[in-house]
Amino acid sequence: MREGLRQSMAWLHTWSGLLVCWVLLLIFMAGTSAYYRDEITLWMKPELHAAAAANATLLPTAASAAHVVAALQERAPKATAWFIGLPDERNPAIVASWTLPPKKGMSMAERRAAFRKQNVTLDPVSGLETPNARDTRGGEFLYRMHFDLYYMSAIWGRWIVGICAMFMLVAIISGVITHKRIFKDFFTFRPKKGQRSWLDAHNATAVLALPFHLMITYTGIVTLMFMYMGAPTQALYKGDQQAMFAEVFPDNERVKPAKVAAPLADFGPMLAQAQAKWGVPVARIVVSHPNDANATVQLVRPSGQQLSNIEPSMTFSGVTGALISSTAEPSGVSSMRRAFYGLHVAHFADTVLRALFFLCGLAGCAMVATGALLWGVKERQKYAKVVAQGGRVGFGVRLVDALNIGAIAGLPIAFGVYFWSNRLLPLALENRAAMEANCFFMAWGAAMLLAQIRPTRAMWRFQLIVGALLLAGLPLLNAFTTTTHLGATLFGPAGLRAVAAFDLVTFALGALLGYAAWWLKRKEQKAAGKGAGSARPAVTIQTREAA
């Protein structure tokens, strides 16, 4: 305590950030990409490019709904619910899924795997299933991974992510307290100054998007607050979470099936009534207990620019077509949570604002990465004399160096392999979507393992070059595997601009990684040139390898 509050916060800032920074980097990268998960999914489903080019979103919603209802009646007439996503400016196809009554003895993982297979993609023009549509989760995999992780139950994944987010919040607040010249240093960058340069880069990326970092971290915790903070539910509702939800979120109350067969009414009049009230086409349709006497049809309006993540909806009787209810005015607690949730997912964002969120997310990735690198640079300086005398750096520094390489340079490799596997894996491969995810983690695991074996600058350069080639080569891969190459999409139909944007962004990120590898090579050559004129060249080489 004699060091003062600022010095104490510096210690807290360092360790609260370092201990979870590699998991945070995965969360930030996956979460940042999720702002464009629809566009990523479109790129990874080239079978939908023709529908996007045809501007199929101009078709009447009633015609699209009729197509998908016919398909669902054929595939899943006994489902417990249908979920229908109608075409919009970001998704040119009809995407429908359904849930079936769970079989006895099925684990949660088996239920999730079964649900992923219970879906269909339809061409909105013909109403037919998209031919040879590849099995892929597209951007949805990245979105879910940033809060569910993978290879574990969703509950465990969310607990891990939540703990990391709490560490992140502590690191942000303690960083603001400990940095007395936070805004002045934002305008200061001193290149080629070693530790000082990394600190300047860390400060700039942190302060540049500080409101975003605070917002995205805090709202990420709030979205799952009922799981992290179960004491109020236990005390007030005796642990009955369903009773708590029924009181706090009364508009989420569900109707039980009558278990009496009854045909569904025509969706056309319901859609017309909803569009007349809202003035915009319906975005989604949720049918609970289809072909049952208690069936309901919920029509959901596009989110528009409202802050809440809950879009207005109208619920109709699935048998008579009569209006049952509209979205009720939520309670104060419900409105607050929904506003926080809406801020986090940013469904309200238009094109410019979504791009700004994406850039702030990239700044968050840079903030986490430079913070981890800064710790390694500071610790290696403490071992400078030991290394100069022929010794080695400590195990902790070597471990952090290896984890930095495997996360900062290895994660772009994993993302690149994920996208390449989407085009190179056979279309008829069983569990193809799961294999794409496996390719992601196999590539990341290989990068981590190589970094642990040899955490040197040569390994940095190698992994950065591999990541650069994978990401920058995606436009070329797209050109060879589809007809919607960059030239055709950039100046082609408006519906394909997202494909061109994906190619351009990945090429730019690949070029950035390539520049980083070139910069490291140039720096090493300069160090070697200085070492050649030194009286102790062997020591210079040892120091460089250790660094």
Side-chain angles (χ1 to χ4, degrees):
M1 292 301 295
R2 284 180 294 178
E3 295 178 342
L5 176 63
R6 184 173 289 114
Q7 288 75 17
S8 300
M9 289 294 104
W11 179 91
L12 181 62
H13 175 74
T14 297
W15 290 104
S16 61
L18 181 68
L19 292 176
V20 297
C21 65
W22 304 285
V23 180
L24 279 174
L25 191 59
L26 171 66
I27 296 169
F28 257 94
M29 284 189 177
T32 299
S33 67
Y35 286 124
Y36 290 101
R37 60 174 167 165
D38 290 334
E39 289 76 8
I40 292 173
T41 300
L42 178 62
W43 189 92
M44 296 180 71
K45 290 186 176 182
E47 298 81 12
L48 304 182
H49 292 179
N55 291 322
T57 56
L58 299 178
L59 288 177
T61 305
S64 299
H67 290 327
V68 73
V69 168
L72 289 172
Q73 288 286 21
E74 179 182 347
R75 290 168 174 79
K78 296 182 179 180
T80 56
W82 293 343
F83 306 92
I84 304 170
L86 297 174
D88 57 29
E89 66 276 4
R90 298 180 66 193
N91 186 2
I94 304 173
V95 181
S97 60
W98 57 89
T99 56
L100 296 173
K103 297 179 181 179
K104 293 183 178 180
M106 288 183 68
S107 65
M108 182 60 68
E110 290 173 331
R111 292 183 186 180
R112 293 171 67 186
F115 177 71
R116 290 169 188 160
K117 296 181 180 179
Q118 295 160 192
N119 60 79
V120 62
T121 301
L122 303 179
D123 186 298
V125 178
S126 64
L128 302 176
E129 186 173 358
T130 305
N132 300 319
R134 66 193 63 205
D135 180 21
T136 179
R137 294 181 65 195
E140 187 69 17
F141 162 72
L142 302 174
Y143 167 70
R144 300 291 301 190
M145 183 173 62
H146 101 277
F147 62 91
D148 278 354
L149 300 182
Y150 205 71
Y151 298 124
M152 63 181 70
S153 70
I155 298 299
W156 277 105
R158 294 178 186 188
W159 268 108
I160 294 172
V161 171
I163 291 170
C164 291
M166 294 174 197
F167 272 72
M168 177 72 173
L169 188 61
V170 170
I172 292 174
I173 296 173
S174 59
V176 172
I177 294 173
T178 194
H179 202 118
K180 61 181 178 181
R181 299 187 304 174
I182 186 169
F183 292 106
K184 180 180 179 181
D185 284 353
F186 168 64
F187 299 99
T188 304
F189 181 71
R190 286 152 283 196
K192 302 179 182 179
K193 299 293 184 182
Q195 177 184 336
R196 184 72 253 182
S197 298
W198 286 115
L199 181 59
D200 288 343
H202 182 65
N203 291 337
T205 53
V207 179
L208 175 67
L210 180 60
F212 173 84
H213 299 327
L214 280 169
M215 179 275 293
I216 208 69
T217 305
Y218 181 72
T219 56
I221 298 172
V222 169
T223 56
L224 298 173
M225 63 182 181
F226 296 114
M227 186 177 76
Y228 301 143
M229 295 176 281
T233 304
Q234 185 66 39
L236 299 176
Y237 298 92
K238 308 300 181 184
D240 188 352
Q241 195 172 63
Q242 295 302 320
M244 182 270 295
F245 278 127
E247 182 174 339
V248 179
F249 307 110
D251 49 322
N252 287 347
E253 200 170 347
R254 298 186 179 183
V255 178
K256 295 182 179 180
K259 297 184 179 181
V260 176
L264 284 174
D266 180 18
F267 285 13
M270 306 181 209
L271 292 166
Q273 185 175 347
Q275 290 181 202
K277 179 178 180 179
W278 295 329
V280 293
V282 173
R284 295 198 315 279
I285 303 174
V286 179
V287 184
S288 300
H289 316 300
N291 303 312
D292 184 88
N294 280 353
T296 60
V297 179
Q298 183 184 30
L299 306 183
V300 182
R301 197 191 78 177
S303 57
Q305 294 185 343
Q306 66 176 17
L307 193 58
S308 172
N309 74 305
I310 302 297
E311 301 93 342
S313 65
M314 299 175 66
T315 303
F316 297 83
S317 166
V319 177
T320 66
L323 178 65
I324 298 176
S325 65
S326 296
T327 305
E329 187 68 24
S331 64
V333 174
S334 177
S335 296
M336 180 189 69
R337 179 177 179 271
R338 289 170 174 178
F340 282 137
Y341 200 122
L343 269 173
H344 191 82
V345 297
H347 287 167
F348 59 87
D350 58 14
T351 302
V352 176
L353 188 55
R354 186 176 293 108
L356 182 60
F357 269 66
F358 180 77
L359 292 175
C360 289
L362 292 180
C365 297
M367 175 187 66
V368 175
T370 53
L373 289 169
L374 178 61
W375 188 91
V377 171
K378 290 171 64 176
E379 290 301 309
R380 280 196 301 272
Q381 288 182 351
K382 298 178 182 179
Y383 285 92
K385 291 184 179 180
V386 176
V387 173
Q389 295 172 2
R392 301 182 63 181
V393 297
F395 171 77
V397 177
R398 190 182 188 279
L399 177 63
V400 169
D401 283 344
L403 290 173
N404 284 344
I405 297 172
I408 299 171
L411 274 172
I413 295 175
F415 276 81
V417 168
Y418 176 64
F419 296 132
W420 276 77
S421 67
N422 171 258
R423 297 300 175 83
L424 299 182
L425 290 175
L427 295 181
L429 182 66
E430 184 71 16
N431 294 324
R432 191 178 185 280
M435 182 54 67
E436 288 181 358
N438 291 339
C439 288
F440 178 97
F441 287 102
M442 285 189 292
W444 192 24
M448 279 288 190
L449 181 60
L450 289 173
Q452 291 292 336
I453 294 173
R454 191 169 176 79
T456 62
R457 283 188 179 177
M459 182 57 66
W460 269 110
R461 292 199 314 274
F462 172 73
Q463 295 204 16
L464 288 172
I465 290 172
V466 172
L469 292 175
L470 287 171
L471 292 177
L474 285 172
L476 190 62
L477 174 67
N478 186 43
F480 277 106
T481 54
T482 70
T483 58
T484 50
H485 52 81
L486 185 58
T489 55
L490 189 60
F491 303 104
L496 292 178
R497 300 287 169 77
V499 179
F502 180 93
D503 283 344
L504 290 174
V505 170
T506 54
F507 180 82
L509 293 174
L512 186 62
L513 293 176
Y515 172 79
W518 171 83
W519 178 81
L520 276 177
K521 180 66 176 178
R522 185 184 176 196
K523 186 175 181 181
E524 185 172 345
Q525 288 173 344
K526 287 184 176 180
K530 292 179 180 179
S534 172
R536 294 183 297 175
V539 173
T540 302
I541 294 174
Q542 289 176 3
T543 304
R544 176 163 47 83
E545 285 300 310

